[in-house]
Amino acid sequence: MILIRRLVLDVLSPHDPSVLELARLLAECGEHHVKVTVLEMDDQTETLQVEITGVDVDFDCIQTTIGEFGASLHSIDEVEVENQPEPVT
């Protein structure tokens, strides 16, 4: 089984709601550590670097949460995965 351990995403987000709220929502996608860094700001948007680490990051939930927040995923800049052998039953 391939597990996603870490993602670094480039996200464009409106100023409102705040990046704090986005980080909270992303953390609710699982047992994740979420770090959001504001890279650039203009009048209406912020360019964010979003780093998510966890045992098995749920990318579908992350992507859906970003979209529902009113933000857009520009790119996946880094990814770390791990191959975990399936348990023998």
Side-chain angles (χ1 to χ4, degrees):
M1 171 187 334
I2 304 298
L3 304 175
I4 299 172
R5 299 293 191 183
R6 181 172 171 268
L7 290 172
V8 178
L9 309 174
D10 179 22
V11 175
L12 183 67
S13 176
H15 289 298
D16 189 35
S18 74
V19 296
L20 180 59
E21 184 61 25
L22 176 59
R24 286 180 178 158
L25 291 171
L26 291 172
E28 290 177 358
C29 283
E31 293 183 22
H32 302 138
H33 172 82
V34 177
K35 177 183 174 183
V36 179
T37 305
V38 178
L39 301 176
E40 294 181 40
M41 293 181 79
D42 66 17
D43 291 342
Q44 298 179 5
T45 61
E46 301 169 323
T47 300
L48 310 174
Q49 180 183 45
V50 178
E51 182 177 338
I52 302 164
T53 55
V55 173
D56 188 16
V57 176
D58 183 350
F59 179 70
D60 291 333
C61 182
I62 299 296
Q63 192 171 25
T64 299
T65 299
I66 290 170
E68 289 175 350
F69 188 76
S72 57
L73 175 61
H74 278 197
S75 64
I76 300 172
D77 294 343
E78 293 182 40
V79 62
E80 290 182 27
V81 298
E82 182 176 327
N83 187 4
Q84 285 282 356
E86 295 286 336
V88 178
T89 57

